[in-house]
Amino acid sequence: MADDLIEAHEPAEDDYKLERSVISAVYAAIEAMDANAIDVALDPLHPADIADLLEQISSGERRALLGLWSMGIDGEVLSELDENLREEVIGYLPEGVLSEAVRELDSDDVVDLVEDMEDLNQERILGALTDVDRVAVELALSYPEYSAGRLMQRELVVAPEHWNVGQTIDFLRREDNLPEQFYHVILVNPAYHPTGNVTLGKLLGSPRATKLTSIVEETFRTIPVKQPEEDVAYAFNQYHLISAPVVDEDERLVGVITIDDAMVVLDDEAEEDILRLAGVSGEESLSDRTLETVRQRLPWLGVNLLTAILASVVIAQFEEILTQIVALAVLMPIVASMGGNAGTQSLTVAVRAMATRDLTGSNVWRVVRREAFAGLFNGLIFAVIMGVVGFLWFGTPMLAVVIAVAMVVNMVVAALAGILIPIGLEKLGVDPALASGAFVTTVTDVVGFFAFLGLAAVLLV
Amino acid sequence: MADDLIEAHEPAEDDYKLERSVISAVYAAIEAMDANAIDVALDPLHPADIADLLEQISSGERRALLGLWSMGIDGEVLSELDENLREEVIGYLPEGVLSEAVRELDSDDVVDLVEDMEDLNQERILGALTDVDRVAVELALSYPEYSAGRLMQRELVVAPEHWNVGQTIDFLRREDNLPEQFYHVILVNPAYHPTGNVTLGKLLGSPRATKLTSIVEETFRTIPVKQPEEDVAYAFNQYHLISAPVVDEDERLVGVITIDDAMVVLDDEAEEDILRLAGVSGEESLSDRTLETVRQRLPWLGVNLLTAILASVVIAQFEEILTQIVALAVLMPIVASMGGNAGTQSLTVAVRAMATRDLTGSNVWRVVRREAFAGLFNGLIFAVIMGVVGFLWFGTPMLAVVIAVAMVVNMVVAALAGILIPIGLEKLGVDPALASGAFVTTVTDVVGFFAFLGLAAVLLV
């Protein structure tokens, strides 16, 4: 134990990247088929780091490693592992190793492990559990996906409201099966409704005779068992909760959600938003194979092709003037590109503000107005610059006027599209992070080409 | 207290948005200059929600509200408030309200409050603190910005290694100034080096005679006081830490960081990445005024203008063929646009993988190869589609070949640029989220136009 502490105490590199030396040692050990050397390299690592290593090596190396070192995979490594890899890894594990790995997990971790698995693998894992645990997991799986019921653990520490500190501590000392981690004692009334949280710090710092009700936390919130997980995560983040009781429709206590569960959800949500804004399915992972990557990115590229063709159709309406004034073909992508960028900027700000619930009925019109004015100011600035550049380049004053006006028009439209489109999509129940980009680019391309070439057709012929 | 609990217990709406009725009540109360009505509306709210409300109303309403209700602003509201608004709000507060608000905060919250303030406001707040607290805050400010030293709180709960559970509980009961929230008792040796963490749950569940050293947590990590905050946040997330001791260069204990601090940093980092990828300065906030918004977005639009002009220069090299075959002008934006999108997809995946440290020396070449192949496959798919569309539209088989080949070339280049550019920028010490987008778009525009028009010039004349 003491040695372990010293090992773990000093991270090898300050930035916590997996050390190259560990990875090289593992590669060498796989090459030499030396199970003992793998054990020496991996045993000091935290399960999360072992999972990262499994994600970073190739699938061939993974098979070789697990063939040699399957007994090294415990429940924690499995639950740290990227979802896309879990079934692969479980496929390599002998029955005994899998059972042992799964039995040591809390019920919420088992739920997380099995919820997206194929039926066959799910049965294999549920079969490895004790009856009590299996029932708990099956109950959790009966709640809707992505709900509080799936996140919560059923291992609870409760005390009747009328207890004092001494009674509670004596109870905790007697209790053999306390959860691995808990942060509150939850007070319940005779109907098993949670009525308050006592932090362990307060419990430890108060005299034995103190009534629990006199030291409950000021902020106390219960989570409905069917609440969507993103709302749960929001509540933890907004109200700085560390753990919160989960209640069923009758307000009865059914479980508890802790901050680590909420943190995972918050992380996933941010990740999903980033990827979706770029037109990547939120489920893409670095360990995906090529064909999976192709499949994940294809839909958005398809949508983009349609919008690009639409823009080309707009251009095609102006073929005549394009043959007369080739400078128009040279300059037109600038107008569209500046609009696209301005639109993406205001879109991203809007989507984030919606995700963090900062954009509400009370400030939406002020934000829309601000976006429009910001688009106008930036449009004017770049109109002047491009007007000058266009004039110096092609020597035609009227061409400079055309590009300047088109620039202002497109940047105002871009700013408005960037905020109004995600708001509209959310009202329709569509995730704005997923779909807004395509619409905004379509608008800025179409308006950009139309304004520039249309003005040119009117003013330059 | 009991009433309070019931109020807070049932969130008004499941999704935790600020209720419209509250906001309307506040507006009406401001209108009527009725301080009491404001109090009735806002007093039941969590400080985080009051801060959100202050962010969502206009600056005029904010001034009116604070004029009437300045005594409602406590330290927690101030620390929940968006950084950009803190100085404005503090400006409206009478000296007495400000002092009281600041004195109730933990040292880490005061640091967070003052670190980005103008000197004058900083002095005003530091002056309101007790001498002991002021020294603690000034010490924290002496650590580098965005380091563990700025995040940690100095309020600690420590115990000598040789104590048992009973001694520790007796000590905690005697101690008057326990921190508001703590999750571990930190064991220290005689040199005041932290050597282990005991969770409060273990402390409560163990008999009084149990040695603390026998119930320490398995995972124990100390944080160097100068470690960058993003590394701290990474460690909390990766190793599921709930609190961790901070040590100075001599390994002496100087403070503790808790998960709520780490969560704020993680949140900020994800936010910054999302905004930077879209070319918005990571500091932009919804409560910014128009001119601030213009200023935040101008630089990236300027960079984009340069890259767009560069692309136009490429197009200008092909003026002759563009006048001969106007279909080229119609189709060329499609090639550039598809490349831009494919590049953004692989860029975003790469930047996220770098942020979560999943892209490392051991898998980088496998990921690069995967991106190249994914680009090739998607390129081939869309080449066929666009070849057919181009042929049906313009009836020229060779034009279809030109756009198909250009599409494949640009999408492979886009995929490679999307991963190699952020890797290169990180090696140079530049934040890839900030700068990659401009480079990738430049590459896909230039290559897209050059490949398409260049091929056309060779094959179509």
Side-chain angles (χ1 to χ4, degrees), chain A residues 3 67 92 97 135 210 226 238 268 274 330 352 390 444 457:
Chain A
D3 272 349
Y92 296 135
V97 174
V135 170
T210 314
K226 291 191 175 161
Q238 174 83 347
D268 287 351
I274 293 182
V330 173
R352 274 314 285 171
T444 55

Side-chain angles (χ1 to χ4, degrees), chain A residues 145-196:
Chain A
E145 260 198 293
Y146 308 114
S147 70
R150 296 280 184 111
L151 281 184
M152 70 185 186
Q153 62 182 57
R154 302 187 61 85
E155 292 84 357
L156 290 170
V157 181
V158 297
E161 290 177 294
H162 58 82
W163 276 12
N164 64 26
V165 167
Q167 286 171 295
T168 312
I169 292 182
D170 292 344
F171 160 77
L172 292 172
R173 289 220 180 108
R174 276 196 314 270
E175 181 67 37
D176 281 336
N177 282 318
L178 289 177
E180 192 57 38
Q181 289 277 16
F182 66 104
Y183 309 105
H184 291 114
V185 171
I186 305 167
L187 304 198
V188 288
N189 67 18
Y192 213 64
H193 297 172
T195 57

Side-chain angles (χ1 to χ4, degrees), chain A residues 249-264:
Chain A
E249 277 96 352
D250 303 325
E251 294 285 314
R252 283 169 56 92
L253 180 64
V254 291
V256 66
I257 293 179
T258 52
I259 188 162
D260 49 313
D261 306 313
M263 214 160 158
V264 171

